[in-house]
Amino acid sequence: MAEAIYVGGLLVATPQLDDPNFRRSVVLVLEHDLDGGTLGVVLNRPSDISVTQVLPTWDAMVTGPSVLFQGGPVQTDSALALAAVPSGQEPLGWRRLHSGTSAVSRIGTVDLDAPPEILAGEIAQMRIFAGYAGWSAGQLEAEIGQGAWYVVDSEPGDTFYHDPGSLWRAVLRRQPDELAYVATCPDDPSMN
């Protein structure tokens, strides 16, 4: 289990975190600055809104399911897109995450104001998120200290996981020691 928050790392909600915005969520950290705070997107919350309804020109490039994901409770009326490039190239309209980890070395943000044609054939996978998760300086560290989040390493497939509903359990299951057992925690512990 990773100790420090870092760009490209995952925040995994502990079973104690019952905030409906983050319950059983997996957040990919996109920006982290000790003075400026932390920004990320929830990877495992597909919505019922199709990409075609909101950003139809990007629909053909989105990795299934072709819906907007609920990236977090901040600025839910704005969209943020993540895409993976198959090579080490940096195509126009795409900006690499500033991370030292190889798990997200080919992941970056997409400029949704750019014409999709400039990225056609340049990206391998893409997801669009409505809103994001944000913490002010020190806020996330305090929440981690209170037992709300596990900080773990990401793996290359996490951002575009094929079954977003099972990502929370999958990430926990691959962790070492006791943390893997948390994946078996029932949705409602009182029903145990």
Side-chain angles (χ1 to χ4, degrees), residues 50-53 55-63 66-67 116 126 128:
S50 72
V51 172
T52 307
Q53 290 176 265
L55 294 162
T57 57
W58 289 99
D59 185 60
M61 298 176 74
V62 171
T63 304
S66 188
V67 297
M126 180 173 155
I128 301 176

Side-chain angles (χ1 to χ4, degrees), residues 27-145:
V27 177
L28 176 67
V29 176
L30 303 179
E31 295 177 14
H32 178 66
D33 183 318
L34 292 175
D35 300 322
T38 306
L39 181 143
V41 290
V42 177
L43 297 177
N44 59 333
R45 291 275 160 73
S47 74
D48 294 329
I49 302 167
S50 72
V51 172
T52 307
Q53 290 176 265
V54 183
L55 294 162
T57 57
W58 289 99
D59 185 60
M61 298 176 74
V62 171
T63 304
S66 188
V67 297
L68 289 181
F69 278 66
Q70 298 167 357
V74 182
Q75 293 187 354
T76 56
D77 58 346
S78 66
L80 181 151
L82 293 177
V85 294
S87 68
Q89 302 299 317
E90 293 199 25
L92 276 171
W94 181 87
R95 186 175 60 100
R96 183 181 312 279
L97 293 182
H98 297 289
S99 174
T101 176
S102 63
V104 294
S105 64
R106 295 182 181 203
I107 295 175
T109 56
V110 172
D111 178 357
L112 291 171
D113 292 328
E117 301 80 49
I118 66 170
L119 281 166
E122 298 288 333
I123 61 173
Q125 296 172 298
M126 180 173 155
R127 287 233 165 113
I128 301 176
F129 301 86
Y132 63 89
W135 293 267
S136 60
Q139 181 184 5
L140 181 57
E141 290 84 349
E143 290 181 15
I144 292 167

